[in-house]
Amino acid sequence: MSIGRSVTRFRFALMMVFGLLFSAGVYAQGAAGGIPTDEASISAGQALFSGNCASCHAVDKKVVGPALKNVYDRRDVAWLTKFIKHPQKVIDSGDEYAVALYDQFKPTIMPNQEVSDQEILQILAYVKHTTDNPPVVDETEVPGGGEGSNAQAAGVDSNLLLGIIAVLMVLLVVVLVVLIVLAQVLSKYLKQQQGLSEEDQEYVAQKFDLMAVLKSQAFVGFASFIFVVIVAKTVIDGLFAIGVQQGYAPDQPINFSHKLHAGYYEIDCKYCHTGVEKSKNANIPSANICMNCHNSIRTTSPEIQKIYKAIENNEPIQWVRIHNLPDLAYFNHSQHVKVGGIECETCHGDIKEMEIVQQHSILTMGWCIDCHRKTDVAAKGNAYYEKLVEIHESKTKAPMKVEDIGGLECAKCHY
Ligand code: HEC
Ligand code: HEC
Ligand code: HEC
Ligand code: HEC
Ligand code: HEC
Ligand code: HEC
């Protein structure tokens, strides 16, 4: 025992030593320009590149984004690392090069990439290797190459699961019937046998009585329990649905996920909901906005094909509306988002975590009023409010709330 363990430890120690030596070697090699040149890094980089970048980039030609050939000469590794992880941040910071790039490629944008510093070095290693050795067959030539392979793996369809359960149930019933029939045939056969002991004879004489089972207390109790649970759930669900639509999360015609787009890829809400800062309505994006990316990303996915079909037939995607105030009420996004400085999440919940959007707030008049009573007006630096604040402060020390600027007046919210 203990000898085996020592051998294992020894092997482990050896591996550690080799590992250290190996990475030290790689480091030494990479020190020139910071980009590694060893085989392992290049092939790791190739895999990372085709998995994350190939839908928009090729090394030697422009696809959705620029050709990445020589990119390490255009910018240094530190800049590239920052940009690849958070392109919009670099662009927003006013970096001249990034802004020029953005202008050249807009309206397409590069989403944040979830890659580590080391993975970025590996990707650059691959890009550099491919730049220096152009004859190498570039598997990433086909935009979106290899995407079909994991298109199906995205998640098990719940209908499929239900189907499997149904088939299993049917199988179980069939097995049960076969067993009962077998038992009856066997006991008939045994009854005709001679020389059974008294005990055995008594046992064989027992009959399987389905009616007795169905009438038994245990079965009746169990069945009524299930019945009561189902009825209770239906009634409770029904009560919650009356008038209030909170939690409403209809299935949409395309499996569009905010968790993926706004959460994982951190695409700005305003990129799609273009109205939030300018108008009353937030706007649902048209298919053209989707096409800024999906003319090259996941082109073969059946869900993406639905976008192409909508554009081909020149008709909008039939999104099901979730939030909907009655016509008598007036609500304005830009007033709350731009002027009031309120985050989307305050009213809509954590959209970045939602696969399917659901209505987070109750959207009753009480809800609007309650917030107007509690919330301070974001008056700082807003010339429009300076006079009002002055007047307000001459009367009271309490901060100026929305109700103080007319947020409880019927006519402000009702036409
Ligand atoms: C959805 C498409 C898309 C994906 C995916 C994407 N990019 Fe980009 N990339 C762009 C666009 C578009 C630009 C041009 C800048 C802009 O408009 O944001 C760009 C610019 C760049 C630049 C600057 C190029 C230059 O000429 O200076 C680098 C470097 C880069 N991307 C690397 C990557 C890497 C590495 C990956 C994968 C880990 C990746 N990108 C994934 C679209 C994409
Ligand atoms: C890539 C485009 C895109 C981005 C980015 C995006 N959305 Fe959406 N959003 C949509 C589409 C398409 C719909 C309609 C389909 C649906 O409800 O999922 C929608 C629906 C919604 C709805 C429900 C609208 C209704 O019918 O009442 C809300 C609320 C919403 N988005 C908020 C947000 C917020 C908040 C963010 C940022 C965190 C965000 N969205 C980012 C495309 C986007
Ligand atoms: C800024 C780029 C961008 C925009 C704009 C965009 N998407 Fe996406 N979308 C992506 C990326 C990146 C993926 C993930 C691709 C992957 O997993 O390989 C994706 C994935 C998807 C998927 C999943 C596809 C599948 O087969 O799993 C759907 C559906 C989708 N998007 C629909 C939309 C719709 C509808 C719109 C317009 C309202 C839209 N997208 C706008 C970048 C974008
Ligand atoms: C003060 C609360 C509040 C804030 C903050 C808010 N919304 Fe809304 N949003 C609403 C209400 C209320 C509705 C329903 C409007 C209606 O039916 O007229 C709505 C509806 C929507 C819709 C459906 C389409 C439309 O225009 O009616 C989208 C999309 C949406 N919001 C996105 C956003 C995004 C993105 C943000 C952040 C930039 C945001 N909202 C911030 C309260 C809010
Ligand atoms: C999360 C808090 C919040 C909620 C919820 C909210 N509001 Fe507001 N609302 C504000 C703030 C803050 C302002 C002040 C914006 C400004 O500085 O002009 C405001 C301003 C307004 C104004 C302009 C008032 C004026 O005197 O100029 C109207 C109209 C309004 N809201 C309607 C609504 C309606 C309708 C709802 C419900 C559907 C609602 N609001 C829900 C925070 C909220
Ligand atoms: C901050 C915005 C706001 C203010 C101020 C406001 N309301 Fe409302 N009101 C709403 C919204 C949103 C609805 C629709 C949601 C609902 O039915 O609860 C509504 C609904 C109503 C309804 C219809 C109720 C129903 O069940 O259909 C009446 C009546 C009404 N308001 C009267 C008033 C009167 C009177 C005042 C002034 C004292 C007033 N409201 C002030 C936002 C407001």
Side-chain angles (χ1 to χ4, degrees):
M1 258 314 237
S2 75
I3 290 183
R5 208 176 286 160
S6 325
V7 169
T8 317
R9 281 209 190 126
F10 178 67
R11 277 210 206 117
F12 182 69
L14 261 187
M15 264 158 52
M16 292 288 288
V17 169
F18 273 118
L20 279 176
L21 279 178
F22 182 69
S23 40
V26 170
Y27 187 77
Q29 268 180 318
I35 301 174
T37 51
D38 61 296
E39 269 313 315
S41 297
I42 292 170
S43 70
Q46 176 168 21
L48 286 164
F49 184 87
S50 48
N52 297 296
C53 326
S55 47
C56 298
H57 290 289
V59 173
D60 56 346
K61 63 169 196 247
K62 187 172 139 184
V63 186
V64 176
L68 292 186
K69 192 167 146 180
N70 290 329
V71 70
Y72 39 83
D73 293 336
R74 296 198 283 277
R75 301 276 98 189
D76 63 29
V77 170
W79 188 94
L80 289 171
T81 306
K82 240 192 304 170
F83 185 86
I84 292 169
K85 285 181 168 176
H86 301 283
Q88 297 313 307
K89 260 192 207 147
V90 178
I91 293 165
D92 289 346
S93 79
D95 181 293
E96 234 173 78
Y97 178 91
V99 171
L101 205 57
Y102 168 76
D103 284 338
Q104 189 187 342
F105 284 88
K106 84 186 163 199
T108 306
I109 57 164
M110 171 162 153
N112 290 354
Q113 299 298 311
E114 291 266 335
V115 282
S116 68
D117 291 10
Q118 203 207 341
E119 286 170 334
I120 289 175
L121 280 179
Q122 291 169 336
I123 292 172
L124 292 175
Y126 164 71
V127 171
K128 189 166 192 319
H129 177 78
T130 312
T131 309
D132 298 343
N133 307 276
V136 171
V137 180
D138 187 356
E139 280 179 19
T140 60
E141 286 259 341
V142 188
E147 65 182 330
S149 54
N150 55 358
Q152 246 53 52
V156 183
D157 191 342
S158 64
N159 285 336
L160 183 67
L161 268 184
L162 271 183
I164 292 176
I165 291 175
V167 170
L168 280 180
M169 297 285 272
V170 171
L171 270 180
L172 272 180
V173 170
V174 170
V175 168
L176 192 68
V177 168
V178 169
L179 280 180
I180 291 173
V181 170
L182 262 183
Q184 273 171 356
V185 170
L186 269 181
S187 55
K188 220 182 237 165
Y189 169 75
L190 279 177
K191 259 185 229 160
Q192 292 158 1
Q193 296 292 306
Q194 307 293 314
L196 286 179
S197 75
E198 206 161 290
E199 206 182 326
D200 284 346
Q201 271 171 359
E202 198 177 295
Y203 192 76
V204 166
Q206 263 182 9
K207 257 201 180 151
F208 175 77
D209 187 347
L210 188 65
M211 279 322 282
V213 171
L214 287 181
K215 280 186 196 148
S216 74
Q217 248 179 11
F219 183 82
V220 172
F222 182 67
S224 349
F225 175 72
I226 298 271
F227 181 72
V228 168
V229 166
I230 292 176
V231 169
K233 175 150 172 38
T234 317
V235 169
I236 291 171
D237 283 357
L239 278 182
F240 270 117
I242 292 176
V244 173
Q245 299 273 314
Q246 196 173 16
Y248 180 51
D251 278 339
Q252 298 289 353
I254 297 179
N255 266 334
F256 174 80
S257 163
H258 278 78
K259 189 174 176 178
L260 181 73
H261 290 83
Y264 187 80
Y265 287 108
E266 294 185 36
I267 303 171
D268 192 350
C269 313
K270 291 190 288 274
Y271 184 75
C272 292
H273 299 295
T274 50
V276 280
E277 290 196 336
K278 306 189 283 242
S279 71
K280 172 182 180 305
N281 290 317
N283 292 350
I284 299 297
S286 70
N288 288 326
I289 291 185
C290 314
M291 287 302 282
N292 287 341
C293 294
H294 285 292
N295 55 8
S296 68
I297 298 179
R298 284 223 174 259
T299 49
T300 55
S301 154
E303 292 301 309
I304 303 303
Q305 295 281 334
K306 291 182 197 166
I307 305 176
Y308 302 163
K309 199 159 283 164
I311 287 178
E312 220 171 82
N313 300 340
N314 203 10
E315 57 191 23
I317 300 167
Q318 301 289 330
W319 301 111
V320 181
R321 179 155 190 160
I322 301 162
H323 300 77
N324 208 353
L325 291 175
D327 288 342
L328 54 88
Y330 172 85
F331 176 84
N332 184 315
H333 269 93
S334 71
Q335 178 135 42
H336 289 86
V337 174
K338 179 89 175 175
V339 187
I342 302 175
E343 301 286 332
C344 316
E345 284 75 10
T346 311
C347 298
H348 291 301
D350 203 353
I351 295 270
K352 289 182 181 163
E353 286 299 316
M354 296 182 195
E355 288 289 353
I356 298 178
V357 179
Q358 61 162 283
Q359 184 178 320
H360 172 79
S361 303
I362 51 178
L363 305 192
T364 56
M365 176 164 139
W367 174 73
C368 315
I369 300 271
D370 192 45
C371 184
H372 286 185
R373 286 212 172 104
K374 282 197 285 211
T375 310
D376 298 350
V377 175
K380 230 188 196 152
N382 187 336
Y384 177 81
Y385 284 127
E386 264 168 23
K387 263 257 146 28
L388 282 175
V389 173
E390 233 170 69
I391 298 170
H392 180 81
E393 283 176 350
S394 71
K395 286 190 285 193
T396 166
K397 283 236 145 34
M400 189 167 82
K401 307 278 181 193
V402 182
E403 66 175 327
D404 299 321
I405 59 166
L408 303 189
E409 284 167 25
C410 316
K412 288 275 172 74
C413 301
H414 292 292
Y415 295 105

